[in-house]
Amino acid sequence: MYPEFTRRHLLGIWIAGVTAAISSPAYAIKRKSGSISMTTDEQHRQANAFGRLLARPTPQSVGGVVPLGLQSLGLDAKRDGLLYVPESYQASKPAPLVLMLHGAGGNAQGGLTPFLELADAAGVILLAPSSRRQTWDMLFGQYGPDITFIDSALAITMSRYAIDETRIAVEGFSDGASYALSIGITNGDLFTHIIAFSPGFMAPALQQGKPRIFISHGKSDTVLPINRCSRKIVPQLQNVSYEVLYQEFNGSHTVPPNIAQSALTWFTARQD
């Protein structure tokens, strides 16, 4: 279930989303030799409060042995994150990465669901954190502990595995889709792609870069009605020059297998 805050404001809050982000000053992050400098915990906290993620891929040594398959991150005893690394992974061949965000009331296991059965064939690494509360922090009014947790999860993953910097996506369903759009636009200098299955709104803190965007929505969705959600979100994104692939389907509040496959194929395709 959506929290009370979301139920009251969900279908109106998107109006201020991208428009406000474009007019907001970009959060200043110190860079050195092309990489983000994380010199103090305070800088990290300040960045996270703006919805900014500081983790970035790091060079990997080819000879290291790393675990494959499904594994826990070990960041939290109760609401941890999960990582899935395909059996075909090789440190010499950087892999695409998808950050996967569950819907309200869900957890990391549910977050993995859309792509878990497809990951081996696609050769993608999946990272699914659990939200600190029943849904993502921004839906309660501001960025905070979820961004911090996601940043830590990304940092661990990127320090252990070779990640293809040209294919890093944030994906989500329902509340997770709203959060994916929001942090994806806010961190468009990290995420190259955003995948939003049945989003309700978007509320980025600012606009960075121009990630490509995939959005799908069921025509019979009664949880987040399509006319008040994606059919308004998509034109707004297109109006500010985002490249959006939009797919509607005959169905309700769900992610059909063919839609999941379509999104993953779109993400992994090489762009000339």
Side-chain angles (χ1 to χ4, degrees):
M1 296 294 292
Y2 290 86
E4 184 179 356
F5 172 86
T6 309
R7 284 295 186 191
R8 292 199 309 268
H9 301 286
L10 184 60
L11 301 180
I13 202 170
W14 70 271
I15 297 173
V18 172
T19 303
I22 293 172
S23 62
S24 300
Y27 179 81
I29 295 181
K30 297 181 179 180
R31 292 180 178 270
K32 183 178 181 181
S33 301
S35 62
I36 291 179
S37 173
M38 297 190 296
T39 57
T40 68
D41 289 342
E42 182 59 29
Q43 285 178 336
H44 208 140
R45 285 193 293 270
Q46 289 179 3
N48 291 168
F50 278 81
R52 292 287 285 155
L53 297 165
L54 302 187
R56 292 296 186 274
T58 58
Q60 302 294 314
S61 60
V62 176
V65 177
V66 291
L68 306 179
L70 186 63
Q71 54 198 278
S72 298
L73 293 177
L75 290 174
D76 188 272
K78 293 182 178 180
R79 290 189 64 80
D80 199 10
L82 292 174
L83 182 65
Y84 184 81
V85 182
E87 296 295 327
S88 61
Y89 170 80
Q90 298 179 40
S92 60
K93 298 179 181 180
L97 170 67
V98 184
L99 173 67
M100 307 192 71
L101 307 177
H102 61 75
N107 55 25
Q109 186 65 51
L112 287 174
T113 300
F115 293 160
L116 185 58
E117 298 300 321
L118 307 173
D120 282 312
V124 299
I125 295 175
L126 308 178
L127 173 62
S130 294
S131 60
R132 302 301 82 202
R133 298 167 69 180
Q134 67 265 43
T135 194
W136 305 99
D137 50 21
M138 182 266 294
L139 282 95
F140 293 101
Q142 62 184 6
Y143 293 106
D146 285 326
I147 289 293
T148 301
F149 188 84
I150 288 171
D151 217 0
S152 296
L154 283 168
I156 288 174
T157 302
M158 291 174 173
S159 69
R160 296 176 181 172
Y161 299 91
I163 303 301
D164 182 351
E165 295 183 355
T166 68
R167 289 183 294 170
I168 300 177
V170 55
E171 173 276 339
F173 167 65
S174 193
D175 268 16
S178 299
Y179 203 60
L181 282 170
S182 300
I183 70 171
I185 291 169
T186 300
N187 295 278
D189 50 348
L190 169 63
F191 298 114
T192 60
H193 297 70
I194 300 170
I195 300 170
F197 297 126
S198 305
F201 69 99
M202 53 187 174
L206 50 92
Q207 184 185 37
Q208 290 281 350
K210 276 292 172 68
R212 300 171 64 224
I213 301 174
F214 179 102
I215 295 176
S216 70
H217 216 115
K219 297 177 183 178
S220 303
D221 193 333
T222 58
V223 177
L224 296 173
I226 192 171
N227 284 333
R228 302 175 67 182
C229 297
S230 288
R231 286 179 180 172
K232 290 189 174 181
I233 292 170
V234 170
Q236 191 179 19
L237 288 166
Q238 293 171 331
N239 287 341
V240 289
S241 302
Y242 281 96
E243 180 185 339
V244 182
L245 176 58
Y246 179 47
Q247 295 187 356
E248 296 185 357
F249 58 89
N250 294 321
S252 57
H253 196 61
T254 187
V255 184
N258 65 309
I259 293 292
Q261 181 65 73
S262 178
L264 194 58
T265 299
W266 166 84
F267 167 58
T268 56
R270 286 289 184 183
Q271 298 297 308
D272 296 330

